[in-house]
Amino acid sequence: MNTTEKMPTEASTFLSLNQQRKDTNFIDALQADLRKINAKLNPTSDGKVRSGIDDNTYSENDDKNPFPMDGMPPVISDYVNNLSKVYGSPKEFFAMAFIGACCAAVRKGAVLDDGKYKNYPQLYLMYVAPSGIGKTEPDKKGFRRLVEVDKELYQDYQKSKLDWKAECAACKKSKLVEPEKPIRKQLLIDDCTPEALYHALQNNAGLTLHSDELSTWFNNIGRYAKSGEVGRYLSIFDNTTFDISRKADEPVFVDEPYMNIIGGIQPEVLEETLQLNQMRKNGFAQRFLFVYPNNVLKPYYIDAIPNQSLLHECDRLIEYLHNEKFGTLILTRDAKEIFISFSNELTNENRNCKTDYLRAFYSKFEIHCLRIALILELIKSYPYGLIYKTVTAETLEYAIRLCRYFIFCGLKVERMGVVLEESAVLDKLSVAKFLVHQSGHSQAEAAKIVGVSQQYINKKLKS
Protein backbone atom coordinates (compact mmCIF):
# COMPACT_ATOMS: atom_id res chain seq x y z
CA MET A 1 0.00 0.00 0.00
CA ASN A 2 1.29 3.49 -0.80
CA THR A 3 2.23 5.21 2.45
CA THR A 4 0.37 8.38 1.46
CA GLU A 5 -2.96 6.51 1.64
CA LYS A 6 -2.76 6.46 5.43
CA MET A 7 -1.90 10.12 5.73
CA PRO A 8 -4.30 13.08 5.89
CA THR A 9 -4.74 14.79 2.52
CA GLU A 10 -3.37 18.10 3.76
CA ALA A 11 -0.26 16.45 5.19
CA SER A 12 0.54 14.51 2.01
CA THR A 13 0.01 17.67 -0.04
CA PHE A 14 2.59 19.79 1.76
CA LEU A 15 5.01 16.83 1.83
CA SER A 16 4.72 16.32 -1.93
CA LEU A 17 5.18 20.03 -2.57
CA ASN A 18 8.41 19.98 -0.61
CA GLN A 19 9.70 16.53 -1.53
CA GLN A 20 12.53 17.91 -3.67
CA ARG A 21 13.84 20.22 -0.94
CA LYS A 22 16.20 18.08 1.13
CA ASP A 23 18.33 20.71 2.84
CA THR A 24 18.02 22.23 6.32
CA ASN A 25 15.53 24.82 5.04
CA PHE A 26 13.25 21.97 4.01
CA ILE A 27 13.40 20.50 7.50
CA ASP A 28 12.53 23.85 9.07
CA ALA A 29 9.69 24.39 6.58
CA LEU A 30 8.27 20.93 7.17
CA GLN A 31 8.32 21.34 10.92
CA ALA A 32 6.62 24.73 10.54
CA ASP A 33 3.93 23.10 8.40
CA LEU A 34 3.44 20.41 11.03
CA ARG A 35 2.81 23.13 13.60
CA LYS A 36 0.30 24.88 11.33
CA ILE A 37 -1.69 21.71 10.72
CA ASN A 38 -1.65 20.88 14.42
CA ALA A 39 -2.92 24.37 15.25
CA LYS A 40 -5.83 23.99 12.80
CA LEU A 41 -6.92 20.65 14.23
CA ASN A 42 -6.33 21.53 17.90
CA PRO A 43 -8.01 24.91 18.46
CA THR A 44 -9.21 26.13 21.82
CA SER A 45 -12.89 26.68 22.51
CA ASP A 46 -12.64 30.32 21.42
CA GLY A 47 -11.02 29.40 18.09
CA LYS A 48 -7.51 30.53 18.98
CA VAL A 49 -4.45 28.39 18.47
CA ARG A 50 -4.04 25.94 21.35
CA SER A 51 -1.39 27.17 23.73
CA GLY A 52 -2.75 27.20 27.26
CA ILE A 53 -1.15 30.62 27.82
CA ASP A 54 -1.50 34.26 26.99
CA ASP A 55 0.31 34.51 23.64
CA ASN A 56 1.14 38.15 24.30
CA THR A 57 3.08 37.15 27.38
CA TYR A 58 4.86 34.01 26.18
CA SER A 59 5.65 34.32 22.49
CA GLU A 60 7.53 31.80 20.36
CA ASN A 61 9.81 34.67 19.39
CA ASP A 62 13.04 34.65 21.40
CA ASP A 63 13.36 38.42 20.92
CA LYS A 64 10.32 38.89 23.16
CA ASN A 65 11.51 36.33 25.68
CA PRO A 66 15.29 36.70 26.05
CA PHE A 67 17.14 35.25 28.98
CA PRO A 68 17.25 38.15 31.49
CA MET A 69 20.78 39.00 32.63
CA ASP A 70 20.23 42.45 34.15
CA GLY A 71 19.37 41.10 37.61
CA MET A 72 22.16 38.55 37.79
CA PRO A 73 24.68 39.07 40.65
CA PRO A 74 27.84 40.72 39.21
CA VAL A 75 30.11 37.82 40.18
CA ILE A 76 28.08 35.65 37.78
CA SER A 77 27.23 38.20 35.08
CA ASP A 78 30.89 39.19 34.60
CA TYR A 79 31.83 35.52 34.33
CA VAL A 80 28.96 34.76 31.91
CA ASN A 81 29.64 37.73 29.64
CA ASN A 82 33.31 36.84 29.38
CA LEU A 83 32.90 33.12 28.71
CA SER A 84 30.03 33.62 26.29
CA LYS A 85 32.29 35.84 24.18
CA VAL A 86 35.20 33.38 24.39
CA TYR A 87 33.27 30.22 23.52
CA GLY A 88 30.31 31.60 21.59
CA SER A 89 27.73 29.62 23.58
CA PRO A 90 24.44 31.23 24.66
CA LYS A 91 24.71 33.18 27.90
CA GLU A 92 21.91 31.19 29.51
CA PHE A 93 23.96 28.00 29.30
CA PHE A 94 26.83 29.52 31.26
CA ALA A 95 24.52 31.32 33.71
CA MET A 96 22.34 28.35 34.59
CA ALA A 97 25.20 25.82 34.66
CA PHE A 98 26.92 27.99 37.24
CA ILE A 99 23.74 28.64 39.22
CA GLY A 100 23.17 24.88 39.23
CA ALA A 101 26.71 24.43 40.56
CA CYS A 102 25.96 26.99 43.28
CA CYS A 103 22.93 24.93 44.33
CA ALA A 104 25.11 21.83 44.38
CA ALA A 105 27.58 23.61 46.66
CA VAL A 106 24.96 24.82 49.18
CA ARG A 107 22.90 21.62 49.33
CA LYS A 108 20.82 21.72 52.54
CA GLY A 109 22.92 24.47 54.07
CA ALA A 110 20.09 26.96 53.49
CA VAL A 111 16.30 26.79 53.42
CA LEU A 112 13.66 29.37 52.51
CA ASP A 113 10.56 29.36 54.71
CA ASP A 114 7.69 31.34 53.13
CA GLY A 115 5.43 30.66 56.11
CA LYS A 116 3.64 27.71 54.49
CA TYR A 117 6.37 25.69 52.81
CA LYS A 118 10.10 25.19 53.07
CA ASN A 119 12.40 25.03 50.04
CA TYR A 120 16.06 24.20 49.64
CA PRO A 121 18.04 25.62 46.69
CA GLN A 122 17.31 22.55 44.57
CA LEU A 123 16.75 22.38 40.78
CA TYR A 124 16.06 19.82 38.08
CA LEU A 125 17.77 21.59 35.19
CA MET A 126 18.23 20.62 31.54
CA TYR A 127 20.02 22.62 28.82
CA VAL A 128 18.76 21.79 25.34
CA ALA A 129 20.71 22.30 22.11
CA PRO A 130 21.96 20.30 19.12
CA SER A 131 25.36 18.66 19.22
CA GLY A 132 28.21 21.08 18.57
CA ILE A 133 26.33 24.18 19.75
CA GLY A 134 28.22 24.47 23.02
CA LYS A 135 26.50 22.83 26.02
CA THR A 136 29.58 21.01 27.27
CA GLU A 137 31.93 23.92 27.96
CA PRO A 138 29.44 25.91 30.08
CA ASP A 139 28.78 22.73 32.06
CA LYS A 140 32.48 22.02 32.56
CA LYS A 141 33.27 25.58 33.60
CA GLY A 142 30.31 25.81 35.95
CA PHE A 143 31.11 22.57 37.79
CA ARG A 144 34.90 22.62 37.59
CA ARG A 145 35.53 23.57 41.23
CA LEU A 146 32.99 21.03 42.48
CA VAL A 147 34.67 18.31 40.42
CA GLU A 148 37.96 19.24 42.10
CA VAL A 149 36.34 19.14 45.55
CA ASP A 150 34.83 15.73 44.79
CA LYS A 151 38.23 14.46 43.68
CA GLU A 152 39.76 15.63 46.97
CA LEU A 153 36.96 13.99 48.95
CA TYR A 154 37.45 10.72 47.07
CA GLN A 155 41.18 10.74 47.76
CA ASP A 156 40.45 11.30 51.45
CA TYR A 157 38.01 8.40 51.36
CA GLN A 158 40.56 6.09 49.73
CA LYS A 159 43.14 7.00 52.37
CA SER A 160 40.60 6.45 55.16
CA LYS A 161 39.71 3.07 53.70
CA LEU A 162 43.38 1.97 53.67
CA ASP A 163 43.75 3.10 57.28
CA TRP A 164 40.55 1.27 58.17
CA LYS A 165 41.78 -1.99 56.62
CA ALA A 166 45.03 -1.71 58.55
CA GLU A 167 43.12 -1.09 61.80
CA CYS A 168 40.81 -4.05 61.05
CA ALA A 169 43.82 -6.31 60.58
CA ALA A 170 45.32 -5.13 63.89
CA CYS A 171 42.01 -5.59 65.71
CA LYS A 172 41.65 -9.08 64.31
CA LYS A 173 45.05 -10.08 65.68
CA SER A 174 44.25 -8.55 69.05
CA LYS A 175 40.70 -9.91 69.01
CA LEU A 176 39.27 -6.42 69.36
CA VAL A 177 36.09 -4.99 67.82
CA GLU A 178 36.77 -3.68 64.33
CA PRO A 179 36.17 0.02 63.68
CA GLU A 180 33.29 1.16 61.48
CA LYS A 181 33.94 1.31 57.78
CA PRO A 182 34.51 4.88 56.53
CA ILE A 183 31.71 6.56 54.58
CA ARG A 184 32.38 8.25 51.27
CA LYS A 185 31.51 11.94 51.22
CA GLN A 186 30.68 13.44 47.83
CA LEU A 187 28.84 16.28 46.11
CA LEU A 188 28.30 14.85 42.62
CA ILE A 189 27.10 11.53 41.28
CA ASP A 190 26.53 10.21 37.76
CA ASP A 191 26.28 6.56 36.72
CA CYS A 192 24.96 4.42 39.58
CA THR A 193 22.33 1.89 40.52
CA PRO A 194 19.25 3.12 42.40
CA GLU A 195 20.45 1.36 45.55
CA ALA A 196 23.86 3.05 45.36
CA LEU A 197 22.16 6.42 44.88
CA TYR A 198 19.90 5.96 47.89
CA HIS A 199 22.83 4.97 50.12
CA ALA A 200 24.81 7.99 48.88
CA LEU A 201 21.85 10.25 49.69
CA GLN A 202 21.69 8.73 53.17
CA ASN A 203 25.40 9.42 53.75
CA ASN A 204 25.50 12.99 52.43
CA ALA A 205 23.63 16.24 53.04
CA GLY A 206 22.54 16.31 49.42
CA LEU A 207 23.82 15.26 45.99
CA THR A 208 23.77 16.56 42.44
CA LEU A 209 23.19 14.06 39.69
CA HIS A 210 25.38 15.70 37.07
CA SER A 211 25.65 14.33 33.55
CA ASP A 212 26.92 15.83 30.29
CA GLU A 213 24.24 13.82 28.43
CA LEU A 214 21.14 13.29 30.54
CA SER A 215 19.60 10.99 27.93
CA THR A 216 22.06 8.28 29.00
CA TRP A 217 20.90 8.55 32.60
CA PHE A 218 17.24 8.60 31.58
CA ASN A 219 17.74 5.49 29.43
CA ASN A 220 19.13 3.64 32.46
CA ILE A 221 16.01 4.22 34.55
CA GLY A 222 14.49 0.82 35.19
CA ARG A 223 17.57 -0.93 33.82
CA TYR A 224 18.53 -2.69 37.04
CA ALA A 225 15.13 -3.52 38.51
CA LYS A 226 11.51 -2.44 38.54
CA SER A 227 12.18 -0.35 41.60
CA GLY A 228 9.86 2.60 41.06
CA GLU A 229 12.73 4.97 40.31
CA VAL A 230 10.63 7.65 38.63
CA GLY A 231 8.27 7.80 41.58
CA ARG A 232 11.25 8.11 43.89
CA TYR A 233 12.64 11.07 41.90
CA LEU A 234 9.24 12.75 42.05
CA SER A 235 9.26 12.54 45.84
CA ILE A 236 12.91 13.61 46.07
CA PHE A 237 12.01 16.79 44.18
CA ASP A 238 9.61 17.53 47.06
CA ASN A 239 12.21 16.46 49.67
CA THR A 240 9.91 13.73 50.95
CA THR A 241 11.57 11.50 53.56
CA PHE A 242 11.78 7.84 52.54
CA ASP A 243 12.69 4.53 54.14
CA ILE A 244 13.69 1.40 52.22
CA SER A 245 13.97 -1.95 53.95
CA ARG A 246 14.66 -5.03 51.87
CA LYS A 247 15.60 -8.47 53.07
CA ALA A 248 18.90 -8.76 51.21
CA ASP A 249 20.09 -5.15 51.60
CA GLU A 250 21.07 -2.75 54.33
CA PRO A 251 18.10 -0.52 55.24
CA VAL A 252 18.12 3.03 53.93
CA PHE A 253 16.57 6.02 55.67
CA VAL A 254 16.88 9.44 54.00
CA ASP A 255 15.45 12.41 55.87
CA GLU A 256 14.33 15.19 53.52
CA PRO A 257 16.43 14.00 50.56
CA TYR A 258 18.10 16.69 48.49
CA MET A 259 19.17 16.08 44.90
CA ASN A 260 19.70 18.30 41.88
CA ILE A 261 19.49 16.79 38.40
CA ILE A 262 21.55 18.85 35.96
CA GLY A 263 22.81 18.20 32.45
CA GLY A 264 22.36 18.62 28.71
CA ILE A 265 20.36 16.92 26.00
CA GLN A 266 19.86 17.23 22.25
CA PRO A 267 16.44 18.36 20.95
CA GLU A 268 16.13 15.39 18.62
CA VAL A 269 16.29 12.95 21.54
CA LEU A 270 14.45 15.08 24.10
CA GLU A 271 10.97 13.99 23.05
CA GLU A 272 11.91 10.31 22.98
CA THR A 273 13.52 10.71 26.40
CA LEU A 274 10.42 12.30 27.91
CA GLN A 275 8.30 9.43 26.61
CA LEU A 276 10.31 6.95 28.68
CA ASN A 277 8.37 5.67 31.67
CA GLN A 278 5.53 8.06 30.74
CA MET A 279 7.46 11.04 32.10
CA ARG A 280 4.97 13.52 30.65
CA LYS A 281 2.00 11.81 32.28
CA ASN A 282 3.54 11.17 35.70
CA GLY A 283 4.76 14.75 36.17
CA PHE A 284 8.51 14.12 35.95
CA ALA A 285 8.97 16.26 32.83
CA GLN A 286 7.14 19.19 34.44
CA ARG A 287 9.64 19.30 37.29
CA PHE A 288 12.47 20.28 34.95
CA LEU A 289 13.54 23.78 34.01
CA PHE A 290 14.53 23.75 30.33
CA VAL A 291 17.23 26.13 29.09
CA TYR A 292 16.22 26.04 25.43
CA PRO A 293 17.28 28.99 23.25
CA ASN A 294 15.94 29.31 19.71
CA ASN A 295 17.93 29.28 16.49
CA VAL A 296 21.34 28.62 18.00
CA LEU A 297 24.13 27.86 15.53
CA LYS A 298 27.54 26.32 15.98
CA PRO A 299 29.86 29.26 16.77
CA TYR A 300 32.90 30.08 14.69
CA TYR A 301 36.26 29.76 16.39
CA ILE A 302 37.02 32.81 18.52
CA ASP A 303 40.64 33.69 19.20
CA ALA A 304 40.27 34.51 22.89
CA ILE A 305 40.86 32.89 26.27
CA PRO A 306 38.83 33.08 29.49
CA ASN A 307 39.61 35.73 32.06
CA GLN A 308 41.33 33.64 34.73
CA SER A 309 40.65 36.11 37.53
CA LEU A 310 36.90 35.79 36.89
CA LEU A 311 37.15 31.99 36.94
CA HIS A 312 39.08 32.05 40.21
CA GLU A 313 36.54 34.45 41.73
CA CYS A 314 33.77 32.02 40.85
CA ASP A 315 35.81 29.20 42.41
CA ARG A 316 35.95 31.23 45.62
CA LEU A 317 32.19 31.78 45.43
CA ILE A 318 31.63 28.02 45.20
CA GLU A 319 33.88 27.43 48.21
CA TYR A 320 32.05 30.13 50.17
CA LEU A 321 28.65 28.60 49.41
CA HIS A 322 29.90 25.12 50.25
CA ASN A 323 31.45 26.06 53.61
CA GLU A 324 28.89 28.59 54.90
CA LYS A 325 25.90 27.48 56.96
CA PHE A 326 23.13 29.93 56.12
CA GLY A 327 20.23 28.42 58.05
CA THR A 328 16.65 29.58 57.47
CA LEU A 329 15.74 32.61 55.35
CA ILE A 330 12.34 34.27 55.04
CA LEU A 331 10.73 36.60 52.49
CA THR A 332 10.53 40.28 53.29
CA ARG A 333 7.02 41.70 53.44
CA ASP A 334 7.37 43.30 49.97
CA ALA A 335 8.80 40.09 48.53
CA LYS A 336 5.89 38.11 49.98
CA GLU A 337 3.37 40.40 48.30
CA ILE A 338 5.16 40.03 44.95
CA PHE A 339 5.26 36.28 45.34
CA ILE A 340 1.53 36.07 46.15
CA SER A 341 0.76 38.07 43.00
CA PHE A 342 2.89 35.72 40.87
CA SER A 343 1.32 32.69 42.56
CA ASN A 344 -2.16 33.96 41.69
CA GLU A 345 -1.06 34.54 38.11
CA LEU A 346 0.13 30.93 37.91
CA THR A 347 -3.15 29.75 39.42
CA ASN A 348 -5.11 31.58 36.73
CA GLU A 349 -2.99 29.93 34.05
CA ASN A 350 -3.50 26.56 35.73
CA ARG A 351 -7.28 26.97 35.79
CA ASN A 352 -7.38 27.93 32.11
CA CYS A 353 -5.26 25.00 30.93
CA LYS A 354 -6.79 22.43 28.62
CA THR A 355 -4.42 19.57 29.50
CA ASP A 356 -3.21 17.85 32.64
CA TYR A 357 0.37 18.32 31.43
CA LEU A 358 0.06 22.11 31.47
CA ARG A 359 -1.77 22.15 34.78
CA ALA A 360 1.09 20.21 36.38
CA PHE A 361 3.58 22.41 34.53
CA TYR A 362 2.28 25.67 35.97
CA SER A 363 1.77 24.24 39.45
CA LYS A 364 5.53 23.71 39.87
CA PHE A 365 6.61 27.28 39.21
CA GLU A 366 5.85 28.56 42.70
CA ILE A 367 8.46 26.06 43.92
CA HIS A 368 10.91 26.93 41.13
CA CYS A 369 10.54 30.64 41.88
CA LEU A 370 11.31 30.31 45.59
CA ARG A 371 14.27 28.00 45.01
CA ILE A 372 15.78 30.30 42.39
CA ALA A 373 15.25 33.34 44.62
CA LEU A 374 16.97 31.58 47.52
CA ILE A 375 20.13 30.67 45.60
CA LEU A 376 20.32 34.16 44.08
CA GLU A 377 20.13 35.75 47.53
CA LEU A 378 22.90 33.47 48.80
CA ILE A 379 25.09 34.34 45.82
CA LYS A 380 24.48 38.05 46.40
CA SER A 381 25.73 37.66 49.98
CA TYR A 382 29.24 36.75 48.74
CA PRO A 383 31.82 37.47 50.09
CA TYR A 384 30.62 39.15 53.28
CA GLY A 385 27.84 36.84 54.37
CA LEU A 386 24.15 37.46 54.96
CA ILE A 387 23.39 40.69 56.80
CA TYR A 388 19.70 39.84 57.12
CA LYS A 389 18.34 36.35 56.66
CA THR A 390 15.79 37.48 54.11
CA VAL A 391 15.05 37.22 50.41
CA THR A 392 14.38 40.74 49.15
CA ALA A 393 11.72 42.02 46.78
CA GLU A 394 14.41 42.83 44.21
CA THR A 395 15.69 39.25 44.24
CA LEU A 396 12.18 37.81 44.10
CA GLU A 397 11.26 40.01 41.12
CA TYR A 398 14.30 38.81 39.21
CA ALA A 399 13.54 35.18 40.07
CA ILE A 400 10.07 35.69 38.58
CA ARG A 401 11.55 37.06 35.36
CA LEU A 402 13.78 34.00 35.15
CA CYS A 403 10.70 31.84 35.69
CA ARG A 404 8.97 33.56 32.79
CA TYR A 405 11.88 32.58 30.58
CA PHE A 406 11.63 28.98 31.81
CA ILE A 407 7.89 28.98 31.21
CA PHE A 408 8.59 30.05 27.64
CA CYS A 409 11.15 27.24 27.20
CA GLY A 410 8.91 24.67 28.88
CA LEU A 411 6.05 25.53 26.55
CA LYS A 412 8.35 25.01 23.59
CA VAL A 413 8.95 21.49 24.88
CA GLU A 414 5.21 20.99 25.43
CA ARG A 415 4.39 22.17 21.91
CA MET A 416 7.01 19.86 20.49
CA GLY A 417 5.21 17.01 22.21
CA VAL A 418 1.87 18.18 20.82
CA VAL A 419 3.22 18.23 17.26
CA LEU A 420 5.18 14.99 17.38
CA GLU A 421 3.23 12.92 19.91
CA GLU A 422 -0.25 14.10 20.84
CA SER A 423 -1.42 15.28 17.42
CA ALA A 424 -3.50 12.77 15.48
CA VAL A 425 -2.65 14.53 12.23
CA LEU A 426 0.47 12.59 11.32
CA ASP A 427 1.84 9.22 12.28
CA LYS A 428 5.62 9.38 12.70
CA LEU A 429 6.31 6.09 11.02
CA SER A 430 4.03 6.89 8.06
CA VAL A 431 5.81 10.21 7.55
CA ALA A 432 9.19 8.52 7.82
CA LYS A 433 8.23 5.86 5.27
CA PHE A 434 6.91 8.51 2.92
CA LEU A 435 10.08 10.58 3.19
CA VAL A 436 12.38 7.61 2.57
CA HIS A 437 10.40 5.75 -0.11
CA GLN A 438 8.60 8.55 -1.92
CA SER A 439 10.72 11.67 -1.38
CA GLY A 440 14.17 10.11 -1.58
CA HIS A 441 15.32 11.29 1.85
CA SER A 442 17.91 9.37 3.78
CA GLN A 443 16.93 7.59 6.98
CA ALA A 444 18.98 10.14 8.94
CA GLU A 445 17.07 13.05 7.39
CA ALA A 446 13.72 11.36 7.98
CA ALA A 447 14.68 10.64 11.61
CA LYS A 448 15.57 14.27 12.21
CA ILE A 449 12.31 15.51 10.69
CA VAL A 450 9.93 13.29 12.65
CA GLY A 451 11.98 13.33 15.87
CA VAL A 452 12.97 9.69 16.32
CA SER A 453 16.26 7.82 16.12
CA GLN A 454 17.66 6.55 12.84
CA GLN A 455 17.95 3.09 14.41
CA TYR A 456 14.19 3.11 15.07
CA ILE A 457 13.37 3.96 11.46
CA ASN A 458 15.84 1.38 10.14
CA LYS A 459 14.27 -1.31 12.28
CA LYS A 460 10.72 -0.42 11.27
CA LEU A 461 11.52 -0.21 7.57
CA LYS A 462 13.00 -3.71 7.69
CA SER A 463 10.01 -5.19 9.51
Side-chain angles (χ1 to χ4, degrees):
M1 179 182 292
N2 191 308
T3 53
T4 58
E5 293 178 11
K6 293 183 178 181
M7 299 172 62
T9 302
E10 187 171 8
S12 59
T13 299
F14 80 75
L15 282 171
S16 62
L17 288 174
N18 290 287
Q19 62 183 351
Q20 301 302 320
R21 298 169 59 196
K22 296 165 61 177
D23 56 8
T24 303
N25 291 332
F26 165 73
I27 294 171
D28 293 340
L30 180 55
Q31 290 176 333
D33 288 336
L34 285 168
R35 287 192 293 270
K36 289 178 182 177
I37 288 178
N38 178 71
K40 288 181 181 180
L41 297 187
N42 291 276
T44 60
S45 57
D46 59 4
K48 294 183 180 179
V49 174
R50 178 185 177 277
S51 67
I53 54 165
D54 179 356
D55 291 324
N56 293 323
T57 304
Y58 304 112
S59 166
E60 289 190 359
N61 185 343
D62 260 354
D63 293 337
K64 294 182 180 179
N65 293 277
F67 183 80
M69 283 292 298
D70 56 312
M72 197 69 71
V75 65
I76 295 184
S77 61
D78 292 345
Y79 155 93
V80 168
N81 290 330
N82 175 249
L83 292 186
S84 181
K85 290 178 181 178
V86 171
Y87 293 100
S89 299
K91 290 182 178 180
E92 48 261 58
F93 286 164
F94 284 105
M96 292 312 302
F98 191 69
I99 286 177
C102 289
C103 291
V106 176
R107 303 187 290 176
K108 292 166 66 174
V111 63
L112 175 58
D113 187 348
D114 72 340
K116 293 177 67 175
Y117 305 105
K118 294 182 179 181
N119 278 285
Y120 296 111
Q122 175 182 310
L123 301 175
Y124 286 7
L125 186 67
M126 195 183 300
Y127 0 98
V128 186
S131 178
I133 294 303
K135 304 185 300 293
T136 301
E137 204 56 44
D139 192 63
K140 283 183 177 179
K141 288 291 186 290
F143 278 84
R144 70 178 204 142
R145 182 60 189 128
L146 291 179
V147 170
E148 292 172 354
V149 171
D150 246 21
K151 182 178 179 180
E152 294 165 4
L153 290 171
Y154 183 73
Q155 290 172 343
D156 290 342
Y157 168 69
Q158 291 292 86
K159 184 179 181 302
S160 297
K161 196 161 68 168
L162 288 175
D163 294 341
W164 170 75
K165 287 181 178 180
E167 290 180 25
C168 286
C171 289
K172 188 174 183 180
K173 288 182 180 180
S174 304
K175 296 183 179 181
L176 298 174
V177 178
E178 294 181 354
E180 290 187 7
K181 186 177 181 179
I183 294 174
R184 182 188 173 188
K185 296 299 181 181
Q186 61 192 113
L187 301 174
L188 308 177
I189 197 165
D190 185 3
D191 187 19
C192 62
T193 65
E195 289 73 18
L197 173 63
Y198 303 152
H199 280 285
L201 283 170
Q202 177 180 248
N203 295 331
N204 292 275
L207 291 173
T208 294
L209 194 150
H210 176 238
S211 178
D212 183 46
E213 283 294 337
L214 278 178
S215 59
T216 303
W217 174 72
F218 277 119
N219 288 334
N220 283 334
I221 291 180
R223 169 185 171 189
Y224 301 97
K226 297 296 182 181
S227 53
E229 286 177 73
V230 172
R232 184 69 64 202
Y233 296 133
L234 297 179
S235 64
I236 289 175
F237 179 86
D238 298 320
N239 310 118
T240 302
T241 298
F242 66 89
D243 182 3
I244 300 175
S245 297
R246 297 189 179 123
K247 187 175 181 180
D249 300 319
E250 284 291 319
V252 176
F253 182 85
V254 185
D255 186 27
E256 295 188 353
Y258 172 104
M259 185 175 75
N260 300 297
I261 302 176
I262 299 174
I265 198 167
Q266 298 178 31
E268 56 265 32
V269 298
L270 174 58
E271 184 57 33
E272 286 183 84
T273 299
L274 294 182
Q275 290 179 32
L276 295 172
N277 297 291
Q278 298 184 320
M279 290 181 182
R280 286 183 176 279
K281 294 181 180 180
N282 60 29
F284 196 25
Q286 295 92 318
R287 282 165 167 77
F288 276 87
L289 295 175
F290 297 97
V291 187
Y292 193 177
N294 270 346
N295 305 319
V296 289
L297 300 173
K298 178 177 172 59
Y300 289 104
Y301 182 85
I302 301 170
D303 189 10
I305 60 174
N307 184 319
Q308 295 301 311
S309 65
L310 293 176
L311 292 178
H312 292 317
E313 188 67 15
C314 286
D315 288 347
R316 287 189 284 272
L317 169 60
I318 290 292
E319 292 167 2
Y320 161 78
L321 294 173
H322 177 55
N323 295 323
E324 192 77 11
K325 300 302 179 187
F326 299 97
T328 301
L329 281 72
I330 62 173
L331 297 172
T332 64
R333 181 177 297 178
D334 290 345
K336 186 67 175 288
E337 291 177 359
I338 294 169
F339 175 71
I340 291 173
S341 178
F342 182 57
S343 174
N344 290 337
E345 176 188 332
L346 293 170
T347 299
N348 288 334
E349 295 290 357
N350 179 289
R351 291 182 175 184
N352 292 327
C353 288
K354 302 297 187 293
T355 67
D356 290 337
Y357 177 91
L358 286 174
R359 279 188 281 272
F361 171 77
Y362 281 110
S363 70
K364 298 296 178 288
F365 270 91
E366 291 181 17
I367 297 173
H368 293 319
C369 179
L370 293 174
R371 292 178 178 184
I372 292 171
L374 174 57
I375 192 61
L376 288 172
E377 198 69 63
L378 301 181
I379 294 168
K380 288 168 67 175
S381 74
Y382 171 78
Y384 303 111
L386 286 169
I387 299 176
Y388 305 106
K389 290 195 172 185
T390 58
V391 171
T392 66
E394 178 185 35
T395 301
L396 202 285
E397 285 177 340
Y398 181 54
I400 291 173
R401 286 195 286 129
L402 287 173
C403 283
R404 295 193 193 284
Y405 169 83
F406 290 121
I407 289 172
F408 160 67
C409 292
L411 290 171
K412 286 171 63 177
V413 173
E414 188 268 347
R415 286 169 182 145
M416 179 172 63
V418 169
V419 172
L420 296 179
E421 179 189 12
E422 298 173 4
S423 174
V425 179
L426 297 174
D427 173 72
K428 289 184 181 182
L429 184 56
S430 295
V431 175
K433 287 181 177 179
F434 179 89
L435 291 170
V436 174
H437 293 314
Q438 304 297 323
S439 299
H441 286 76
S442 69
Q443 291 183 9
E445 289 172 331
K448 184 174 182 180
I449 291 168
V450 302
V452 298
S453 67
Q454 183 179 349
Q455 292 83 354
Y456 173 81
I457 290 180
N458 182 269
K459 179 181 178 181
K460 291 297 183 181
L461 292 181
K462 287 181 178 179
S463 62

